[in-house]
Amino acid sequence: MNCLKRECILSERLIRQRLTLPLSREREYKDLFELLQPVAPIAYSYPGSPPSLIYRTVFDDESVADELRAERIIVKGRFTGSSVGYVLAKDLELYANAFSKPLKSNNSIHEEIIEAIKTLGATSPRLIREETGLLNKRMMPALHRLQEAFLVYEDQVDDSWDRAWNIFDKEWPEIKIDESAKQTAIIEVVRRFLKIHVLATFEQLKDWSGLSIKILEKVLHKMELDGQIVMHQCKGLGEGWLNAQDNKIKSQTIQPSVFMFHKMDILVRSHASELKRKFGDREVLQYLLIDGAFQGAVIGHWRIGPHDVDDIHLTLPAEKKVI
């Protein structure tokens, strides 16, 4: 790599994320989505909102995502850290194997829900509730746990709150989820993440993936032995890994920029621990990515209507705090 300095890595990350050069052509959307998946809806948006590649396109990407999920080109599930996200249908098997959380044992509520769906077929939470007699506060957490295990599938093709749920195997009979395929799947999704993130520390990989320390250490060790990734120490960014082919990034200066990100954006998720250390004692509405690094936050209080904005807190060096 010709340049492993902080500025070079951050600049390359902004470019690959298409933040400093957003997409102008919708036909390129799926290629970027593939690198950034699982893609989450904007945090605190209404239930059923489409995923969003915020700032990364010059066109309305939510309307494109709406069309793709209506055609089942992108599909919904619970992946990194059990958070809701969308992946390309062609990659569902990969991400399901990487992030599935198998049930250690079915409890009675899980069994009731599965039997209800088998009896009713693809059905809504309302009808499941009527069939089982379960209270919503007991039924929905159990339904989500079954979703994490990829035993049930939530068919969110539009913004309807009354979406259909079905048995995963019935909805996707061609997909095989097997514990023996888990490590290979994780290796592939980590490789894709590093392609879009460039350099990632162990903490960032753990924050983004939600994987256990033990699993992640094992995967990274194998990837290093296989020559897929290399470790690098970067002043200002710490020690981390990058894909082996990223050893020839051209020297470049960072383009000055400011972006305001919600908490479910891929960059916020990968920096979750760092952001908690910086702003954990405050109620954060949005995080500020300044010149490629998180150096500020919008402080306030979330409301259904207009939010309360109390302060904009910056962690920039004093000489850069010029208004």
Side-chain angles (χ1 to χ4, degrees):
M1 193 181 219
N2 296 328
C3 176
L4 285 175
K5 293 181 179 178
R6 175 180 179 274
E7 186 178 63
C8 179
I9 291 171
L10 293 181
S11 179
E12 184 67 16
R13 183 182 295 164
L14 290 174
I15 292 168
R16 294 189 187 186
Q17 293 263 338
R18 298 306 295 256
L19 289 166
T20 51
L21 187 62
L23 292 181
S24 60
R25 294 180 291 189
E26 292 185 13
R27 66 175 179 268
E28 298 175 339
Y29 178 83
K30 283 192 290 184
D31 292 336
L32 181 60
F33 194 100
E34 182 172 346
L35 289 174
L36 291 165
Q37 63 187 336
V39 180
I42 293 175
Y44 299 113
S45 56
Y46 59 84
S49 294
S52 178
L53 302 181
I54 186 169
Y55 303 125
R56 296 171 175 93
T57 69
V58 298
F59 50 84
D60 179 9
D61 80 295
E62 289 191 20
S63 66
V64 176
D66 250 340
E67 293 174 5
L68 293 178
R69 69 176 178 175
E71 297 173 17
R72 265 195 170 187
I73 294 172
I74 60 173
V75 294
K76 185 178 181 181
R78 288 183 180 269
F79 303 99
T80 51
S82 300
S83 59
V84 168
Y86 287 78
V87 300
L88 293 167
K90 71 180 184 66
D91 289 332
L92 179 56
E93 183 168 8
L94 171 68
Y95 283 86
N97 272 297
F99 296 113
S100 64
K101 292 186 175 181
L103 294 179
K104 294 181 179 178
S105 61
N106 272 0
N107 62 32
S108 59
I109 295 178
H110 294 148
E111 291 172 355
E112 283 185 67
I113 291 172
I114 288 175
E115 285 305 311
I117 297 175
K118 286 180 177 179
T119 299
L120 297 169
T123 189
S124 68
R126 177 179 59 82
L127 293 177
I128 296 172
R129 187 168 59 249
E130 291 177 4
E131 179 73 13
T132 61
L134 292 168
L135 295 175
N136 207 57
K137 65 180 181 180
R138 298 186 69 197
M139 183 191 74
M140 290 310 297
L143 198 55
H144 292 157
R145 181 65 187 91
L146 291 168
Q147 188 181 26
E148 292 171 2
F150 289 89
L151 294 175
V152 298
Y153 171 73
E154 182 183 9
D155 197 17
Q156 187 87 55
V157 294
D158 53 32
D159 60 5
S160 172
W161 290 24
D162 208 24
R163 64 274 181 209
W165 290 75
N166 205 352
I167 300 300
F168 187 89
D169 289 346
K170 186 173 182 180
E171 201 73 54
W172 301 95
E174 73 280 13
I175 289 180
K176 304 302 178 187
I177 301 175
D178 191 327
E179 191 65 22
S180 65
K182 192 173 188 68
Q183 185 180 80
T184 300
I186 293 173
I187 287 172
E188 175 58 19
V189 300
V190 167
R191 185 194 67 78
R192 293 185 183 192
F193 173 75
L194 289 176
K195 185 173 182 179
I196 205 76
H197 207 270
V198 187
L199 176 78
T201 65
F202 186 87
E203 179 179 82
Q204 289 166 352
L205 285 163
K206 186 176 184 305
D207 283 348
W208 168 76
S209 68
L211 296 169
S212 70
I213 291 175
K214 182 178 179 180
I215 289 175
L216 193 54
E217 285 180 339
K218 185 176 180 180
V219 163
L220 292 172
H221 180 64
K222 178 168 176 52
M223 292 179 78
E224 277 192 281
L225 287 178
D226 292 345
Q228 295 185 62
I229 60 174
V230 293
M231 182 174 281
H232 175 67
Q233 177 75 40
C234 178
K235 185 177 181 181
L237 293 180
E239 182 180 74
W241 290 268
L242 45 89
N243 282 323
Q245 62 267 32
D246 282 335
N247 60 356
K248 294 182 180 179
I249 295 176
K250 294 179 180 179
S251 178
Q252 55 195 303
T253 56
I254 197 163
Q255 179 180 328
S257 60
V258 179
F259 298 99
M260 187 169 68
F261 284 115
H262 63 98
K263 73 172 188 176
M264 292 307 296
D265 188 86
I266 185 173
L267 287 174
V268 174
R269 295 203 318 270
S270 68
H271 290 76
S273 294
E274 174 190 331
L275 292 170
K276 185 176 181 179
R277 289 192 293 271
K278 285 183 176 180
F279 309 110
D281 60 338
R282 298 164 179 256
E283 186 174 354
V284 176
L285 300 177
Q286 301 270 306
Y287 294 98
L288 299 176
L289 189 78
I290 302 173
D291 298 342
F294 285 105
Q295 302 182 84
V298 179
I299 310 300
H301 182 69
W302 285 102
R303 297 189 183 279
I304 296 176
H307 310 307
D308 295 335
V309 177
D310 299 329
D311 190 19
I312 296 178
H313 180 74
L314 299 177
T315 58
L316 288 165
E319 64 272 15
K320 290 190 176 183
K321 293 182 181 179
V322 179
I323 299 177

